[in-house]
Amino acid sequence: IVRLALNEDLRPSGDITTKLIRLKDKKAKANIIAKQSGVVAGLDFCKAAFKILGKETVFSKKVNDGARVTKGKIIATIAAKTKTILTAERTALNFLSQASGIVT
């Protein structure tokens, strides 16, 4: 399902914004931060989106599915190439926000 979502998001042109970045192969780190209080769900889908696009990705959960979080809590960190993070983020966050919204 994650591959299908990535294909839908990235076809036919890929991620146009990422193509414009010069240092897209440089390693970067990103945090996924809760924008509001709620219950987290969908972390495995989220992780899969990053791992599918970048085998080098290190995805570290800071909470587990089912955890209650407050606004501002770091949910996960991602270490990967800049292009991997930027290309996968929309799909990953769609899964995470949809699942978290339903469970909350």
Side-chain angles (χ1 to χ4, degrees):
I1 188 98
V2 176
R3 282 187 196 282
L4 288 171
L6 285 167
N7 285 337
E8 182 180 311
D9 241 10
L10 299 173
R11 298 266 158 122
S13 303
D15 187 54
I16 297 167
T17 306
T18 302
K19 288 180 181 180
L20 299 173
I21 296 173
R22 244 181 18 159
L23 301 173
K24 55 185 155 237
D25 286 323
K26 184 178 178 184
K27 291 279 184 158
K29 184 177 176 184
N31 292 322
I32 298 175
I33 301 170
K35 286 190 166 186
Q36 62 187 35
S37 297
V39 179
V40 175
L43 284 168
D44 288 338
F45 292 108
C46 186
K47 177 181 179 178
F50 292 104
K51 294 291 274 186
I52 287 168
L53 293 181
K55 303 300 180 212
E56 82 288 349
T57 300
V58 176
F59 186 95
S60 301
K61 296 178 189 179
K62 300 302 179 187
V63 299
N64 291 317
D65 279 349
R68 290 196 157 280
V69 295
T70 57
K71 181 179 179 179
K73 172 77 175 166
I74 296 176
I75 296 170
T77 60
I78 302 101
K81 292 179 182 176
T82 302
K83 68 181 176 185
T84 300
I85 293 171
L86 293 176
T87 304
E89 69 164 327
R90 182 175 346 139
T91 302
L93 294 177
N94 283 346
F95 276 106
L96 187 64
S97 62
Q98 180 72 13
S100 295
I102 290 168
V103 78
T104 297

